[in-house]
Amino acid sequence: MMQRTCVFSLLLAFCLTATGLAAPGKKVSAMPAAGQQLAQKEVDSKGEDAFFSVTAIPDSVFRKMQGRSWRADCTTKRSELRYLRCLHRDAEGCIRVGEMVLNRRIADKVLEILHELYRQRYPIECMRLIDEWEGDDERSMRDNNSSAFNFRFISHTRKVSKHGLGLAIDINPLYNPYLKTLPNGQRVIEPATATAYTDRKNPSPYLIHKGDLCYRLFTQAGFSWGGDWRSCKDYQHFEWPVK
């Protein structure tokens, strides 16, 4: 009888831990918030892999998305999307917690890529949900925020953009802007504050160059790079083909 009671107690303790419910007086350590800076010893204490995950969209995240990246006319189902958490390093080598919402079709691939970028100390300055900027791409890009899902249609159409499907990712967008020259000669730069980085020889640790580690990992996994486009250049942009 005593042996069965001990076994039951151990099982109960395991269940409480697994569901996040602690026994009285027992503290359960929570994962750090996205955007938080971590010391190396904090990563080592949990193990690097503990900070890299892909899950269904948590209710708390979905509530944040409402009216921002997820709009009333959204045709991409919540079940098609995944919530990714990872670590990344900025140009100073500081470790930060990142997050991203993207399509389930590419979530595991992107997780592997981001993990390798972290291991190789490839600099990514910021990786938060675009909802922190109210779903405003321009504001998010100006803060050099790397992101993926943000529902929208391609201009003047009812065709959902790759970002609206969660099948496109922008990395270090301030330093890797979108560039297009219109028929009237007007030059479009997005974000508008990125003029200095239209010169791809302008040095910055956040620039993406053809053949660099970020480029190689994404293209080898099957993504195309906007920097290879002819009609325009979108140096921040990697997208998955829609078949």
Side-chain angles (χ1 to χ4, degrees):
M1 180 67 177
M2 183 177 293
Q3 185 177 11
R4 288 198 299 270
T5 302
C6 291
V7 171
F8 176 78
S9 298
L10 288 171
L11 288 172
L12 179 61
F14 174 80
C15 292
L16 288 170
T17 301
T19 57
L21 300 174
K26 184 175 178 62
K27 185 178 181 180
V28 176
S29 59
M31 295 301 284
Q36 184 175 332
Q37 182 175 326
L38 301 181
Q40 184 64 56
K41 64 180 181 180
E42 295 178 81
V43 177
D44 294 341
S45 68
K46 288 186 173 69
E48 187 178 294
D49 290 347
F51 296 89
F52 289 82
S53 64
V54 169
T55 65
I57 306 293
D59 290 342
S60 58
V61 171
F62 195 60
R63 285 193 296 270
K64 183 182 291 186
M65 294 167 62
Q66 301 297 311
R68 299 178 179 89
S69 62
W70 183 281
R71 300 174 178 86
D73 57 352
C74 186
T75 58
T76 302
K77 297 178 182 179
R78 176 180 177 179
S79 60
E80 296 176 48
L81 300 172
R82 293 293 182 267
Y83 177 63
L84 179 154
R85 282 176 61 93
C86 67
L87 297 177
H88 62 96
R89 296 181 187 270
D90 62 22
E92 288 71 44
C94 297
I95 302 171
R96 299 188 181 277
V97 180
E99 62 179 350
M100 187 177 287
V101 168
L102 67 176
N103 196 289
R104 66 184 181 187
R105 290 164 57 185
I106 62 171
D108 290 334
K109 295 178 188 292
V110 174
L111 186 73
E112 291 177 10
I113 291 169
L114 293 176
H115 203 158
E116 185 61 20
L117 290 174
Y118 171 77
R119 291 189 191 103
Q120 299 297 328
R121 306 180 74 89
Y122 187 93
I124 298 176
E125 187 170 22
C126 178
M127 194 188 303
R128 301 292 309 278
L129 298 184
I130 200 167
D131 310 285
E132 300 290 342
W133 290 264
E134 300 298 321
D136 187 321
D137 282 305
E138 178 70 16
R139 288 175 53 201
S140 174
M141 288 189 293
R142 289 186 183 194
D143 283 345
N144 202 30
N145 180 56
S146 300
S147 65
F149 174 75
N150 191 21
F151 187 79
R152 59 180 180 269
F153 296 99
I154 296 173
S155 297
H156 311 297
T157 75
R158 291 295 292 175
K159 183 178 180 181
V160 181
S161 75
K162 291 289 183 67
H163 281 290
L165 295 169
L167 293 173
I169 297 161
D170 293 339
I171 302 291
N172 292 328
L174 174 62
Y175 298 88
N176 299 283
Y178 168 88
L179 310 174
K180 185 177 179 65
T181 301
L182 302 179
N184 63 4
Q186 179 184 352
R187 198 179 191 202
V188 176
I189 302 173
E190 298 176 358
T193 54
T195 302
Y197 303 103
T198 60
D199 179 358
R200 303 308 291 167
K201 295 179 182 178
N202 199 349
S204 168
Y206 294 119
L207 259 66
I208 298 171
H209 292 292
K210 187 168 186 174
D212 77 2
L213 180 63
C214 187
Y215 171 90
R216 294 198 310 273
L217 290 177
F218 274 103
T219 56
Q220 288 170 6
F223 291 81
S224 60
W225 181 48
D228 284 331
W229 296 347
R230 294 185 178 181
S231 61
C232 63
K233 295 294 182 184
D234 199 354
Y235 294 107
Q236 64 195 259
H237 183 93
F238 294 94
E239 68 173 47
W240 187 255
V242 175
K243 297 179 181 179

